[in-house]
């Protein structure tokens, strides 16, 4: 039992100095920015458009590495990282970010709305994610649910209410499959699960955040309605979503991260 516990502890990045050293190198190399520039409150996004808006708002330049890009909004004490797309990069950025011990991380992602009542531009606060991706099983057993950090979700919900905005909660299905809309068996499974939305990152972010002691939440924007007629995202519909909803989505993310600092919210993760 003692040997097993030792092996388990060594897997945890916060107990493995050699792994931490490599993670520091990866974070700097992949983002093109030195570690000392990273703020303790971090926003994650999939979109360069979000990064450009954040850069203009902060008056700070975009750093680009071999894979990702980052802007350090030092006036806000918030950094924004464009992690690109998919569960593997989501897991990688969370595990590497653990070396700077962030106080709060918020994912501003987009999702496909599955419930018939959803509309484009609706906000979703996930309460859990279905782990139908291939990376989280390398960090934690498959029977463990993928959950965001409750305190972050609670805080973001307060921000939405204070701004007079409605939002939905529910379980998000995270998948690696991009053209699932053409798989009838897959769609039947979604109906049976009662998932409110579908995305490609949340389960990895939540699971790896839990394992790596990184407090992580998510505020998702419904960008398409793939189960409805003509609801699959296109180039034109995507452009419209960015034009109409990007500013508000980013504004909410910034407000949440700044006010978590101002209100002195402490978000604790247990050490296993």
């Amino acid at each position: 039992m003692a040997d097993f516990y030792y092996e388990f502890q060594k897997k945890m990045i916060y107990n493995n100095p050699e792994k931490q050293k490599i993670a520091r190198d990866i974070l700097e190399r992949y983002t093109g920015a030195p570690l000392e520039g990273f703020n303790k409150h971090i926003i994650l996004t999939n979109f360069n458009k979000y990064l450009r808006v954040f850069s203009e708002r902060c008056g700070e330049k975009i750093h680009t590495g071999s894979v990702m890009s980052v802007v350090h909004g030092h006036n806000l004490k918030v950094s924004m990282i464009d992690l690109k797309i998919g569960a593997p990069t989501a897991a990688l950025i969370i595990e590497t970010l653990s070396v700077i011990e962030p106080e709060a991380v918020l994912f501003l992602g987009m999702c496909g709305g599955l419930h018939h009542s959803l509309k484009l531009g609706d906000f979703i606060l996930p309460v859990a994610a279905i782990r139908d991706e291939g990376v989280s099983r390398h960090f934690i057993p498959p029977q463990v649910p993928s959950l965001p950090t409750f305190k972050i979700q609670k805080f973001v919900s307060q921000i939405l209410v204070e701004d007079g905005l409605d939002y939905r909660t529910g379980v998000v299905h995270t998948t690696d499959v991009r053209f699932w809309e053409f798989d009838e068996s897959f769609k039947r499974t979604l109906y049976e699960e009662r998932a409110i939305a579908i995305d490609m990152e949340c389960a990895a972010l939540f699971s790896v955040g839990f394992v790596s002691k990184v407090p992580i939440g998510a505020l998702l924007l419904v960008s398409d309605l793939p189960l409805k007629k003509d609801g699959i995202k296109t180039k034109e519909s995507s452009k419209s979503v960015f034009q109409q909803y990007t500013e508000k989505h980013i504004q909410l993310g910034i407000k949440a991260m700044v006010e978590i600092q101002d209100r002195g919210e402490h978000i604790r993760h247990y050490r296993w």
Side-chain angles (χ1 to χ4, degrees):
M1 183 67 178
D3 289 342
F4 165 77
Y5 187 70
Y6 174 77
E7 289 178 13
F8 173 78
Q9 286 291 313
K10 288 297 286 183
K11 280 182 66 177
M12 303 297 101
I13 192 166
Y14 52 80
N15 284 326
N16 191 324
E18 186 176 355
K19 195 173 182 180
Q20 289 176 6
K21 181 180 178 181
I22 297 298
R24 291 187 186 97
D25 181 83
I26 288 173
L27 186 57
E28 290 190 333
R29 182 160 44 95
Y30 278 24
T31 63
L35 285 186
E36 56 267 22
F38 283 82
N39 293 292
K40 293 289 188 177
H41 292 77
I42 294 170
I43 296 172
L44 300 178
T45 180
N46 304 115
F47 305 105
N48 186 257
K49 166 73 173 176
Y50 277 51
L51 207 64
R52 293 199 307 271
V53 171
F54 186 75
S55 172
E56 291 166 5
R57 180 167 297 188
C58 298
E60 301 281 0
K61 70 176 183 178
I62 298 175
H63 301 267
T64 300
S66 59
V67 179
M68 305 173 190
S69 300
V70 63
V71 172
H72 299 310
H74 294 303
N75 57 329
L76 302 171
K77 298 180 182 177
V78 176
S79 294
M80 178 183 279
I81 301 170
D82 174 11
L83 62 87
K84 305 308 177 188
I85 190 170
T89 56
L92 178 63
I93 192 60
I94 290 297
E95 194 168 25
T96 55
L97 279 174
S98 70
V99 300
I100 66 168
E101 299 183 351
E103 295 177 14
V105 179
L106 180 65
F107 176 49
L108 298 182
M110 292 191 186
C111 64
L114 301 179
H115 196 269
H116 63 85
S117 65
L118 290 169
K119 308 181 298 299
L120 293 181
D122 281 351
F123 289 114
I124 293 177
L125 273 178
V127 298
I130 294 170
R131 296 169 57 192
D132 188 26
E133 32 67 50
V135 69
S136 63
R137 64 184 177 85
H138 295 287
F139 293 84
I140 200 162
Q143 68 269 25
V144 180
S146 182
L147 307 174
T149 304
F150 173 77
K151 247 188 168 180
I152 293 180
Q153 298 302 83
K154 178 175 176 285
F155 197 86
V156 174
S157 74
Q158 291 173 343
I159 296 295
L160 288 162
V161 170
E162 288 170 7
D163 278 31
L165 296 170
D166 195 13
Y167 67 94
R168 304 289 293 277
T169 62
V171 175
V172 173
H173 184 115
T174 300
T175 181
D176 288 332
V177 180
R178 181 56 193 90
F179 291 107
W180 62 265
E181 298 94 334
F182 302 94
D183 184 334
E184 294 303 317
S185 175
F186 187 94
K187 288 194 284 188
R188 281 195 295 272
T189 299
L190 293 177
Y191 278 116
E192 292 168 0
E193 290 172 346
R194 304 297 194 269
I196 193 171
I198 186 166
D199 91 318
M200 300 184 76
E201 292 86 22
C202 278
L205 292 170
F206 300 162
S207 293
V208 180
F210 175 69
V211 171
S212 303
K213 290 207 317 143
V214 175
I216 172 80
L219 175 61
L220 303 181
L221 174 70
V222 175
S223 61
D224 63 332
L225 303 165
L227 294 181
K228 293 186 177 180
K229 181 177 172 55
D230 300 322
I232 298 176
K233 189 187 297 183
T234 64
K235 184 168 66 175
E236 287 304 312
S237 68
S238 177
K239 183 179 178 181
S240 175
V241 166
F242 277 119
Q243 289 175 341
Q244 293 185 66
Y245 306 114
T246 290
E247 289 281 352
K248 191 61 180 178
H249 201 191
I250 295 173
Q251 178 185 331
L252 289 166
I254 292 173
K255 186 174 182 181
M257 289 294 96
V258 169
E259 294 200 14
I260 282 177
Q261 301 171 49
D262 292 346
R263 299 184 192 184
E265 288 288 320
H266 177 64
I267 300 163
R268 179 184 180 185
H269 261 255
Y270 290 102
R271 188 178 284 258
W272 297 100

